[in-house]
Amino acid sequence: MALFNRTPRAPLEYSRTLWLRGWVTAVMVFLYAPLIVLMVFSFNDSKRNVVWRGFSTKYYVKAWNDSTLVEALVNSLTIAALATLFSLVLGTFAAIMLWRFRFPFKGAVDGVMSLPIIVPEICLGVAFLIFFAAIDWPSGLIWPFNLSAITIAHITFCFPFVTMVVRSRLASFNKEQEEAAKDLGASEWQAFRDVLLPHIRPALVAGALLAFTLSLDDFVITFFTAGPDTITFPVKVYSMVRFSVTPVVNAASTVLIILTVVLTALALKYQGVKSIAESH
Amino acid sequence: MAEQNWKENRSSFFASALGPLLWTLVFFIVPMGIVWAYSFGRNAGLTEIDLVGTLDNYKRATEWLYLSIFAKSFGVAAMVTLICLIVGFPVAMAITFASEKWRPWLLLGIMLPFWTNLLVRTYALMMLMGSQGYANKALGGLWGGASWLKTLIGLEPLPTWEPVQLLFNNFAVVFGLVYVHLPFMVLPLYSALDRLDRSLIEASLDLGAGHFRTIMKIVVPLAMPGIFAGVMITLIPALGAYLTPDLMGGTDSQMIANVIERQFKRANDWPFGAALSFMLIYAMFILIALQGLRKKPAETH
Amino acid sequence: MTEAKLPIISIQNITKRYPGAPVAAVDNVSLDIMPGEFFVLLGPSGCGKTTLLRMIAGFEIPTSGTILIDGQDMAAVPPNKRPVNMVFQSYAVFPHMSVEQNVGYGLRIAGVGGDEISSRVREALELVKLDGLEKRKPDQLSGGQRQRVALARSLVMRPKVLLLDEPLSALDAKLRAQMQFELSDLQDEVGITFVTVTHDQDEALSMAGRIAVMNKGEVAQLATPSDLYEYPANRFVADFVGSVNLFEGKLTLDEPDRAAVDCPGLGKVYLNHGVTGSHGSDVWVALRPEKIYLHVPGEGKAIRAAAQDAPEDHNLARGHIKGMSYLGDITLFEIKLDSGAMIRVSRPNLSRHDQEDFTWDDRVSMHWRADSPVVLLS
Ligand SMILES: Nc1ncnc2c1ncn2[C@@H]1O[C@H](COP(=O)(O)OP(=O)(O)OP(=O)(O)O)[C@@H](O)[C@H]1O
Ligand SMILES: [Mg+2]
């Protein structure tokens, strides 16, 4: 890093001022140090988290042998995958509807559809708890149908995010392109598939990533919606953190962090840092 | 670009509208409606709730005890937002003015934590801040250094270092919320600063203003929409935060979300919990309305 | 005054290389700009004009070389401390401030008293004819008005030098012509040194006292507008400023008071003055379209009479009209010479029917005066 290079600084090269570099470095350390320490100590050969006793993977083995933990992870990934799929479809349709059509009460529909983004998680969680209790949603079904309530809740708060991302991408779409396609003989559906879909693809990737991580991330809503037999990964980790801090939590968390990084890297490889950042 | 009237293309309109509208109706409006109805109900038996249309729940929710918790939650959220703004603004500046090569990576550096599991991040921070954690060790090291300096100039050394309790108090809650919400603040700030015409900054410098004055008089006023967006994106989730105060707070640092949770999971007073939920939602609406009052509404991110 | 005036800006061997760029944006440029001058930097897009101007203002750091303003080395002086002000290409009028606040901004920063600020702001707005619009916000102004706000905002600071980066490029043709005059008048009135950047040669010729033509980061020629046009120093300048016919040839006669060039394309060219260049060397002849007379062949006497300042067979050419465009004040002809080369000739429409004198495929002859061609070595 050219921290101390001598070429004089032009006035707007703020990021070359020493104090700003120090500031950014400090913020990055603040953001990453806890995660890195957590990951490092997942390999610690000691029950207590604070003293390094040598390298070991035994807590990964332990985590792997903890069947409820593995089950929770599988549940979480299943829910996230389903929620992403449904959110993408619903969110894209909603975005296209709001972008393309004029219809009565459009402002109200738009507002209500983006409400799940701003309503606090706790309120949504409470609402789902009451809702599923009131309509007597069947519980104790076989896997994966026992996850349906949680999945429905996740779709509800994920798809408005997809709508938002896709809609901002649609704003840059030139409608004449679609008209040109139709002029050349494409049907409504062909025009959608061949012209509109390629244009919003970066937003779909970003929206999928967002929906997947939001779903995987969610604790509060799941906490209220989950029955005793439907444990998700965050709920499991929560109870582990609450009742016993063991390095197994570190190991499980490390797996999740690595999963996030891999997902991000995949999205980046597919789309490039810039477009992901922009569609945010 | 002109929008199409839905009547001109009914089949396409219904194809795109039916799913989202139905879903929103059944799985969002109906549940919220039930909560709203419950907030006027009364507990009758262990699982029965009578919808009697009473305002008792709201009366109780506006008692001093609960109002003070609301006020405190708001105070904590406001403080968290302010700290995020102060910490995040220079970071957003640095990203905006970084070289082409560095900018995407800095952005990624901010976004990766945003994508990482909230619980994992909170747990990681707790691990670091525990009484045996590294934060305490670092402070102890500083203390030892100071003590050594004092002996160097011939003074009494400081008393031996006692680990401080960093967790389970209000400080921990604020610290944890800042840790969690910082990326939320930086991203809208960055997108507002990035849109700023650089020649405006240059013009200000050219007219004799220093960098600090340029930032205060030109950059900040013009980045106001982004600042408002960042404030809202940080303030609203911080106000409704559950996990951080629950895990990192002490007995006196419960926020409103924790009180709501207690009504459902422990106290089993659903109508009262529903009323508190709606109070929180109304508070959000007021905040958003306040933002809407500004002349140019800030674009949501 | 006995002692020579000192330059207000002295640019000495300035080079700017952007990181990662293969060639320098500004390459070893040296210039002196005199106090009170209207100086124009002219050149095609990307030749480094803006970069040079921004180095004077302090927004770019030169890779090497020195910039002196009023005799003082500017290397360590930040933009906000330099005695120059800049009018930006995009105007950079602060959108959240009224006209008045924009113009008063620099004075407020400098800590000037309230009364003085308002009187000086009023004065500056009068100067640029914006009085009455004090309370408007920039988005309620036209492009030309915004440009004048930017101008007033800089003028009010009473800088030693005003730097203007393509100040008129965003305006329509009419307004631009008007603003060109206004800028010149203003400069006369305030007596401040103006350094203006433009890629529009008409703008440069009409406003400038002196012009530096830049090409690929280097100064191709530094001269007054008329010298630049009539005595271009090289093919680049001849071609960039105005339009020109260029022919390759060999110097066949090289005496102190006359010269001749043999051009395979154009024929024999005679000049009634000496040129720099040695006998037999390869040169180019530049001939402006408006300096060529057009005749119907057979008006032989007239030709000989007109070309009498040159020896027989010199400064004459014949060809066919291959293209014509009527531009109102003049008509432009594309003529294919007998040698196969093309030449452009313009002819003023002195009477209403002049454009009917010639038409496509007409055979024509041309001649030009012995002081019209310019011999270029590079
Ligand atoms: N910030 C920069 N980084 C890298 N290269 C640059 C930068 N600014 C300008 N250049 C390059 O330097 C050269 C000169 O640019 P400059 O802006 O000075 O041209 P100009 O003469 O003002 O052109 P124009 O008439 O189009 O404004 C160009 O090739 C340009 O691509
Ligand atoms: Mg330029």
Side-chain angles (χ1 to χ4, degrees):
Chain A
M1 202 164 129
L3 192 62
F4 296 109
N5 74 9
R6 293 297 179 82
T7 50
R9 193 173 58 81
L12 284 198
E13 289 181 305
Y14 286 119
S15 39
R16 283 183 58 196
T17 54
L18 211 54
W19 81 266
L20 204 53
R21 282 192 173 180
W23 191 277
V24 172
T25 312
V27 167
M28 289 296 173
V29 168
F30 170 60
L31 287 176
Y32 284 93
L35 296 176
I36 289 167
V37 169
L38 177 144
M39 288 165 77
V40 168
F41 276 87
S42 69
F43 296 102
N44 190 8
D45 190 11
S46 156
K47 230 183 159 52
R48 308 244 330 268
N49 252 329
V50 282
V51 197
W52 183 256
R53 286 274 160 71
F55 183 85
S56 146
T57 52
K58 70 177 179 198
Y59 291 103
Y60 285 87
V61 178
K62 252 193 178 161
W64 180 249
N65 289 332
D66 182 341
S67 64
T68 56
L69 189 62
V70 173
E71 189 195 320
L73 185 62
V74 171
N75 280 350
S76 269
L77 292 175
T78 312
I79 293 168
L82 286 172
T84 303
L85 197 67
F86 278 89
S87 299
L88 269 186
V89 174
L90 285 175
T92 307
F93 278 140
I96 290 175
M97 166 184 82
L98 290 169
W99 165 73
R100 181 148 169 202
F101 293 104
R102 191 158 20 94
F103 52 90
F105 305 113
K106 182 171 175 178
V109 169
D110 189 2
V112 170
M113 277 197 161
S114 47
L115 266 187
I117 296 177
I118 27 183
V119 167
E121 279 187 322
I122 186 89
C123 301
L124 266 182
V126 164
F128 284 116
L129 173 66
I130 296 180
F131 174 70
F132 287 120
I135 64 166
D136 255 331
W137 190 265
S139 64
L141 299 172
I142 53 151
W143 195 90
F145 296 101
N146 57 351
L147 305 175
S148 55
I150 303 176
T151 310
I152 286 171
H154 282 203
I155 294 168
T156 306
F157 76 81
C158 285
F159 96 77
F161 284 94
V162 177
T163 306
M164 191 171 70
V165 173
V166 172
R167 212 174 153 190
S168 72
R169 175 77 190 167
L170 277 173
S172 67
F173 180 75
N174 181 355
K175 276 188 184 157
E176 285 176 4
Q177 284 181 26
E178 201 181 5
E179 283 159 11
K182 284 189 195 156
D183 186 58
L184 294 169
S187 70
E188 192 83 31
W189 160 248
Q190 282 168 328
F192 171 76
R193 188 194 55 194
D194 296 339
V195 181
L196 199 59
L197 214 53
H199 179 80
I200 60 175
R201 210 186 60 173
L204 294 182
V205 174
L209 187 67
L210 196 60
F212 196 86
T213 48
L214 280 172
S215 167
L216 207 56
D217 201 20
D218 179 72
F219 165 73
V220 175
I221 294 172
T222 317
F223 188 48
F224 281 92
T225 329
D229 57 333
T230 48
I231 300 292
T232 69
F233 190 76
V235 173
K236 175 72 185 166
V237 171
Y238 174 78
S239 63
M240 287 168 93
V241 172
R242 224 38 283 225
F243 303 112
S244 60
V245 174
T246 73
V248 176
V249 182
N250 289 33
S253 301
T254 304
V255 170
L256 202 59
I257 294 174
I258 288 171
L259 192 70
T260 310
V261 172
V262 167
L263 272 178
T264 311
L266 276 181
L268 290 183
K269 191 168 174 219
Y270 198 54
Q271 223 52 72
V273 182
K274 236 185 134 178
S275 65
I276 293 281
E278 271 162 6
S279 57
H280 234 279
Chain B
M1 228 175 279
E3 287 160 347
Q4 200 175 13
N5 191 333
W6 70 284
K7 284 182 190 158
E8 287 167 19
N9 199 341
R10 279 168 201 259
S11 57
S12 290
F13 176 71
F14 284 119
S16 60
L18 206 61
L21 286 184
L22 264 185
W23 191 282
T24 307
L25 179 70
V26 176
F27 294 119
F28 181 66
I29 297 176
V30 169
M32 293 313 276
I34 298 178
V35 179
W36 192 70
Y38 272 26
S39 73
F40 299 102
R42 190 169 37 198
N43 262 340
L46 205 56
T47 53
E48 303 281 291
I49 287 150
D50 279 346
L51 300 181
V52 290
T54 170
L55 283 175
D56 285 352
N57 296 312
Y58 285 98
K59 268 195 206 123
R60 209 177 133 203
T62 46
E63 276 169 19
W64 172 242
L65 174 64
Y66 296 104
L67 275 189
S68 69
I69 290 176
F70 258 105
K72 188 180 162 191
S73 303
F74 193 82
V76 168
M79 192 147 120
V80 166
T81 308
L82 188 69
I83 296 174
C84 282
L85 184 61
I86 293 169
V87 174
F89 193 85
V91 177
M93 285 283 281
I95 300 176
T96 311
F97 292 100
S99 63
E100 288 292 325
K101 203 179 77 194
W102 277 93
R103 193 177 312 130
W105 296 107
L106 286 173
L107 265 178
L108 189 65
I110 293 295
M111 279 189 309
L112 208 52
F114 174 87
W115 283 328
T116 306
N117 193 297
L118 179 68
L119 190 59
V120 167
R121 297 182 65 210
T122 310
Y123 168 66
L125 194 62
M126 286 172 73
M127 217 182 108
L128 216 59
M129 286 170 69
S131 56
Q132 300 293 312
Y134 279 83
N136 242 313
K137 287 213 172 120
L139 287 176
L142 283 181
W143 184 269
S147 173
W148 178 76
L149 276 181
K150 273 184 96 178
T151 51
L152 211 64
I153 54 172
L155 291 172
E156 283 290 298
L158 292 168
T160 45
W161 168 253
E162 292 293 331
V164 282
Q165 182 55 274
L166 292 172
L167 275 180
F168 312 122
N169 51 32
N170 290 329
F171 164 79
V173 173
V174 172
F175 196 82
L177 286 174
V178 168
Y179 179 68
V180 166
H181 289 107
L182 190 58
F184 289 55
M185 178 63 94
V186 174
L187 293 176
L189 284 183
Y190 162 72
S191 78
L193 287 177
D194 195 44
R195 247 172 293 165
L196 193 76
D197 181 359
R198 280 166 199 221
S199 61
L200 293 173
I201 300 175
E202 291 179 338
S204 170
L205 293 174
D206 188 66
L207 291 166
H211 288 282
F212 184 72
R213 271 212 267 193
T214 299
I215 287 171
M216 296 316 283
K217 293 198 156 179
I218 307 294
V219 179
V220 169
L222 290 175
M224 239 349 150
I227 293 176
F228 264 81
V231 164
M232 284 295 152
I233 285 176
T234 315
L235 188 66
I236 288 178
L239 187 54
Y242 169 77
L243 201 57
T244 313
D246 183 61
L247 286 176
M248 296 181 76
T251 44
D252 66 330
S253 29
Q254 296 302 292
M255 288 173 69
I256 193 67
N258 307 95
V259 179
I260 295 174
E261 185 260 357
R262 207 176 309 137
Q263 305 313 316
F264 285 91
K265 292 257 165 173
R266 272 159 259 180
N268 211 15
D269 190 349
W270 289 21
F272 181 54
L276 284 176
S277 292
F278 260 86
M279 297 264 294
L280 184 55
I281 291 176
Y282 293 144
M284 301 290 158
F285 283 162
I286 290 170
L287 281 179
I288 290 163
L290 282 182
Q291 188 200 15
L293 279 186
R294 288 168 16 88
K295 242 192 329 202
K296 282 187 209 134
E299 306 113 282
T300 42
H301 187 53
Chain C
M1 243 196 284
T2 48
E3 63 176 348
K5 273 212 266 183
L6 286 171
I8 182 87
I9 294 180
S10 180
I11 293 168
Q12 296 164 359
N13 306 99
I14 283 288
T15 295
K16 173 73 190 181
R17 210 178 289 279
Y18 285 108
V23 292
V26 171
D27 197 358
N28 197 19
V29 166
S30 297
L31 289 173
D32 279 342
I33 298 169
M34 293 301 169
E37 199 175 17
F38 200 127
F39 194 90
V40 171
L41 290 168
L42 174 67
S45 187
C47 69
K49 309 175 297 279
T50 299
T51 305
L52 186 57
L53 204 68
R54 287 169 58 81
M55 284 192 285
I56 300 174
F59 295 120
E60 302 288 353
I61 309 289
T63 310
S64 65
T66 317
I67 294 176
L68 304 177
I69 298 180
D70 217 9
Q72 224 191 324
D73 187 350
M74 288 289 128
V77 184
N80 47 336
K81 300 268 163 36
R82 295 194 183 196
V84 298
N85 282 114
M86 181 144 166
V87 176
F88 289 82
Q89 187 163 2
S90 61
Y91 309 151
V93 174
F94 304 132
H96 59 303
M97 296 184 189
S98 67
V99 168
E100 205 172 34
Q101 287 168 326
N102 259 290
V103 177
Y105 180 79
L107 296 176
R108 282 201 303 281
I109 294 290
V112 176
D115 290 344
E116 196 189 337
I117 291 183
S118 51
S119 72
R120 274 171 71 176
V121 166
R122 201 170 336 108
E123 212 174 284
L125 287 177
E126 263 166 38
L127 201 61
V128 298
K129 307 194 185 74
L130 275 183
D131 28 342
L133 302 182
E134 287 85 352
K135 300 283 181 245
R136 294 260 191 103
K137 283 283 181 69
D139 56 6
Q140 301 166 314
L141 297 175
S142 72
Q145 289 169 331
R146 240 174 287 167
Q147 192 257 336
R148 280 184 272 185
V149 173
L151 200 58
R153 188 175 66 178
S154 294
L155 282 173
V156 84
M157 302 303 291
R158 297 179 186 154
K160 289 183 175 150
V161 181
L162 193 60
L163 309 171
L164 303 104
D165 190 1
E166 311 224 8
L168 308 178
S169 62
L171 308 181
D172 66 56
K174 269 260 169 62
L175 193 55
R176 189 181 325 176
Q178 183 195 338
M179 286 302 297
Q180 281 168 20
F181 283 114
E182 287 184 15
L183 267 186
S184 302
D185 286 352
L186 193 69
Q187 199 260 345
D188 276 348
E189 208 170 320
V190 295
I192 295 174
T193 313
F194 276 33
V195 181
T196 299
V197 159
T198 181
H199 60 250
D200 179 337
Q201 39 149 323
D202 293 337
E203 199 171 299
L205 294 177
S206 77
M207 297 192 300
R210 279 195 306 155
I211 298 173
V213 181
M214 291 184 67
N215 180 27
K216 294 182 185 151
E218 294 174 341
V219 174
Q221 190 175 3
L222 174 60
T224 62
S226 61
D227 280 359
L228 212 55
Y229 190 80
E230 304 296 352
Y231 304 102
N234 46 48
R235 276 181 298 157
F236 174 79
V237 174
D239 196 33
F240 187 73
V241 180
S243 80
V244 78
N245 298 294
L246 279 170
F247 296 95
E248 216 171 336
K250 267 203 167 35
L251 204 56
T252 51
L253 176 69
D254 177 27
E255 285 175 18
D257 59 344
R258 59 207 179 103
V261 182
D262 196 357
C263 299
L266 186 63
K268 292 187 180 123
V269 178
Y270 174 81
L271 298 100
N272 61 3
H273 54 82
V275 298
T276 52
S278 54
H279 183 88
S281 59
D282 289 326
V283 294
W284 282 270
V285 169
L287 194 53
R288 300 255 180 224
E290 77 278 5
K291 295 199 166 55
I292 301 171
Y293 297 88
L294 210 54
H295 315 272
V296 179
E299 289 179 2
K301 259 189 230 150
I303 300 175
R304 216 156 302 124
Q308 70 190 171
D309 61 349
E312 193 97 7
D313 283 352
H314 284 70
N315 294 1
L316 293 171
R318 290 188 178 81
H320 287 90
I321 295 179
K322 285 293 171 207
M324 245 176 94
S325 40
Y326 171 67
L327 300 178
D329 53 347
I330 58 166
T331 303
L332 265 184
F333 296 92
E334 293 271 347
I335 293 163
K336 185 168 193 175
L337 297 174
D338 292 345
S339 67
M342 300 295 293
I343 191 166
R344 252 175 305 164
V345 178
S346 72
R347 182 163 181 267
N349 292 323
L350 300 173
S351 87
R352 283 195 170 163
H353 303 285
D354 273 7
Q355 83 273 17
E356 294 160 13
D357 292 351
F358 298 97
T359 186
W360 278 271
D361 291 330
D362 276 2
R363 181 149 180 85
V364 289
S365 17
M366 288 146 275
H367 88 269
W368 52 92
R369 296 166 55 103
D371 58 357
S372 291
V374 180
V375 170
L376 302 170
L377 301 179
S378 61

